[in-house]
Amino acid sequence: MTQTHSGSGMTSQRTRARMIARLREKGIRDERVLSALVAVPRHLFVEEALASRAYEDTALPLGFSQTISQPFIVARMIEVLREGRELGKTLEVGAGCGYQAAVLAQLTKEVYAVERIEPLLAKAKLNLRAIQEFRVRLKYADGQFGLPEAAPFDTIIVAAAASCVPQALLQQLALGGRMVIPVGQGEQYLLLVERRAEGYIETPLDGVRFVPLLSGLE
């Protein structure tokens, strides 16, 4: 189990508890998801200058034109994926600083996370090591192609907006599996994709704002 890191002032357990209270007010009901968010010290995943804002319900810049996702969006996406089931083997596309992967690791034993920006991947490795979270398997790869060597996945969570759902991710979703991905170029929304015996079922969800899902390695 990951160690719980407490702090003082803006990084204290009390500050984290206020964040959880806000998430409940916004409709998050899955207590295991909320517990996972409490367990992960978000202030250790953001730039030191932004640590005092780590538990605000907002996205924060990471550099490289990337952001750490808003806690509500992290909670919302995982809650949708978990509804009535366990996550099972999970792929995260867009590891960023490693925060969402750390939250996922509180909820399932098998987490694979890919990141196409090498310095960000290095940062994620350091962050996860700092909190002694060794269950996440990180890979330097173009997320649009998923991670075929570890497929199929019961759960896929995408942390960047695609113009359409990448075919590789659909193919790597196990039968009975679920994927949540932001789609759209102007106006974006979360899309839940479920793979059933009769095919893929798509359900549009909330409006969101994510950085674009880009191809190629940096």
Side-chain angles (χ1 to χ4, degrees):
M1 194 64 189
T2 303
Q3 294 178 350
T4 298
H5 294 249
S6 58
S8 58
M10 290 302 290
T11 60
S12 69
Q13 284 298 120
R14 191 180 305 159
T15 309
R16 283 190 228 182
R18 282 200 297 269
M19 177 184 78
I20 297 305
R22 284 194 297 270
L23 296 182
R24 281 201 179 97
E25 286 170 10
K26 293 178 83 166
I28 302 300
R29 294 285 173 262
D30 189 325
E31 289 299 326
R32 284 194 62 201
V33 172
L34 293 169
S35 295
L37 283 156
V38 168
V40 178
R42 192 171 185 252
H43 62 280
L44 299 182
F45 287 83
V46 301
E47 298 297 329
E48 203 171 334
L50 296 171
S52 64
R53 299 185 59 199
Y55 298 100
E56 294 177 10
D57 190 25
T58 187
L60 295 170
L62 289 175
F64 311 100
S65 300
Q66 303 299 300
T67 58
I68 180 172
S69 292
Q70 175 188 358
F72 171 75
I73 294 297
V74 173
R76 172 71 172 137
M77 291 172 83
I78 298 174
E79 183 174 67
V80 166
L81 290 166
R82 262 182 50 81
E83 189 175 353
R85 67 194 279 270
E86 294 298 321
L87 293 176
K89 187 198 284 189
T90 298
L91 172 66
E92 181 194 24
V93 174
C97 62
Y99 173 71
Q100 185 165 258
V103 175
L104 290 165
Q106 311 302 309
L107 297 163
T108 184
K109 292 176 183 174
E110 281 192 278
V111 180
Y112 296 79
V114 297
E115 175 54 58
R116 58 178 283 276
I117 301 173
E118 199 165 19
L120 262 187
L121 186 75
K123 187 179 289 192
K125 286 179 179 176
L126 288 173
N127 289 340
L128 291 169
R129 193 177 304 147
I131 65 165
Q132 298 186 3
E133 180 51 79
F134 303 116
R135 290 168 293 192
V136 178
R137 298 170 177 89
L138 290 165
K139 182 76 184 283
Y140 179 47
D142 185 335
Q144 295 200 73
F145 300 109
L147 196 59
E149 61 265 37
F153 297 98
D154 303 301
T155 297
I156 299 177
I157 184 167
V158 183
S163 54
C164 60
V165 183
Q167 195 62 35
L169 298 185
L170 290 172
Q171 291 169 352
Q172 290 171 35
L173 193 61
L175 190 63
R178 285 183 192 165
M179 167 166 50
V180 166
I181 178 171
V183 293
Q185 292 173 308
E187 291 191 8
Q188 301 172 4
Y189 59 93
L190 290 181
L191 184 68
L192 170 64
V193 181
E194 299 173 90
R195 186 172 191 177
R196 300 180 188 167
E198 64 269 30
Y200 296 95
I201 309 299
E202 298 187 350
T203 308
L205 304 170
D206 326 21
V208 289
R209 183 179 296 173
F210 275 81
V211 297
L213 181 66
L214 301 175
S215 59
L217 300 176
E218 291 183 16

